[in-house]
Amino acid sequence: MFKTAIMTTALLLAAPLAAAPMELLPSGHPIAEVSLDGSRPLRFVIDTAASSTSILPRLRAAMPGSMAAAGAQNLDGAAGRTRIETLTLGRLTVDGRSFDGLKAFALPPSPVDDLGVDGVLGADVIARFAVEIDMPGRAWRLADAPTPAMLEGMLPPVPIALDEALTPRLTVHLDGTAIPAILDTGAKGSIMNWAAARRLGLAPDSPGLVKASKVKGVTAHGTASVTAVFRELRIGAARKRETSLRIADLPVFAALGFAGGQPAMILGIDMLADRRFVIDHPGRRLFVSAAADAPASALADRR
């Protein structure tokens, strides 16, 4: 999840005909096939909370002719801020749609490289569309608006808002307590800040908390964290029982506009790993399937 304000000159050139296959990494990250200037398939993380599409070092080294330096920009990652180079890409094609002149980040060497992917597909592309992601069925698609087939088996929609970086924001309920959240498919684990934990009656010395590894993102910084288990996380009518969450005061919470003392959560892909869901960006709605075994493979069957 990367936050910034960066404009794009991308041009929509074509429309998709069917759903596309989607790889899932061992980390749980969803991966889309992307091409640059007609290249071989490249592997990009689908990241709803990355404001801009990003290029990893190995892809920049392999395809320098498909991107040009365009300046520099501050980047707020999960664990802190860094200044990085921006690029203008050639033609990026994903799920049958092409974009010319997209502005992108050139990510520095970081823990993201360990995923073995080529880049990150950000909200500058995906927030234009309704995005269907079928985690068990390993398929996804972009559509101008949700179709009846996309919404089959879904629970009533949850209202979302899009912030200035086009990140989906919603309210979730943890053990019955309302918590403001962002939906971040690029985060492998969900994290809440200590303000949210305190709203739930927790303190750093509360029994049952377990020390966890430091949280790192595209910067070299790390933030200490602990984990706690909660009875239930609810996203609208969708429920997930016995939920383990990290607690950490990440610098990115401030970058997201959550002032000190304001509860907040990063809702990661782990909370939707057994579901099919549709983020209707134009309609400002989130749909989640009724159960883990609801027609979660239906999208794969319709490819």
Side-chain angles (χ1 to χ4, degrees):
M1 185 227 5
F2 320 120
K3 305 297 295 181
T4 188
I6 185 169
M7 299 302 292
T8 177
T9 57
L11 174 65
L12 178 63
L13 297 177
L17 298 177
M22 183 185 75
E23 177 188 356
L24 285 183
L25 297 182
S27 61
H29 289 96
I31 304 298
E33 288 189 355
V34 172
S35 71
L36 276 176
D37 293 336
S39 70
R40 61 173 174 81
L42 305 170
R43 299 162 67 237
F44 277 47
V45 177
I46 303 169
D47 191 344
T48 55
S51 56
S52 297
T53 293
S54 299
I55 302 299
L56 267 64
R58 74 175 194 173
L59 179 58
R60 184 164 189 203
M63 299 185 65
S66 291
M67 53 200 77
Q73 186 101 17
N74 287 331
L75 174 68
D76 292 301
R81 170 172 287 191
T82 189
R83 190 162 182 83
I84 63 172
E85 188 177 357
T86 58
L87 305 169
T88 300
L89 304 182
R91 175 167 294 183
L92 181 145
T93 301
V94 58
D95 194 25
R97 300 174 186 263
S98 294
F99 304 85
D100 287 336
L102 196 71
K103 294 296 188 294
F105 286 132
L107 294 185
S110 73
V112 180
D113 295 326
D114 295 338
L115 296 177
V117 298
D118 299 296
V120 174
L121 188 67
D124 52 343
V125 172
I126 59 180
R128 303 162 182 257
F129 308 105
V131 182
E132 183 178 14
I133 298 180
D134 178 357
M135 295 292 286
R138 302 196 176 197
W140 82 298
R141 74 168 71 209
L142 299 173
D144 293 329
T147 66
M150 290 169 64
L151 300 183
E152 179 184 351
M154 294 294 181
L155 293 166
V158 178
I160 63 172
L162 300 182
D163 62 22
E164 63 180 11
L166 304 179
T167 301
R169 295 186 179 231
L170 68 157
T171 299
V172 301
H173 289 81
L174 190 59
D175 287 353
T177 298
I179 305 291
I182 68 162
L183 177 55
D184 186 356
T185 59
K188 69 176 182 179
S190 298
I191 304 171
M192 64 180 176
N193 61 11
W194 274 105
R198 285 190 289 272
R199 178 175 284 189
L200 287 152
L202 295 176
D205 59 352
S206 293
L209 299 182
V210 178
K211 184 178 180 180
S213 59
K214 290 186 176 181
V215 180
K216 296 182 179 180
V218 297
T219 70
H221 307 294
T223 303
S225 71
V226 299
T227 61
V229 177
F230 300 90
R231 294 188 306 274
E232 179 184 79
L233 174 71
R234 185 162 56 83
I235 308 169
R239 301 171 185 270
K240 190 171 182 67
R241 311 281 185 179
E242 294 299 312
T243 299
S244 178
L245 289 169
R246 283 201 191 201
I247 306 170
D249 278 333
L250 302 179
V252 76
F253 281 119
L256 289 165
F258 295 106
Q262 183 177 2
M265 178 188 295
I266 296 171
L267 184 66
I269 197 64
D270 57 328
M271 296 300 149
L272 295 165
D274 60 349
R275 304 292 177 116
R276 185 171 61 90
F277 59 98
V278 174
I279 309 169
D280 178 11
H281 292 92
R284 306 296 195 267
R285 302 174 298 173
L286 169 67
F287 297 85
V288 181
S289 64
D293 59 353
S297 62
L299 179 56
D301 294 339
R302 297 198 301 270
R303 288 205 296 264

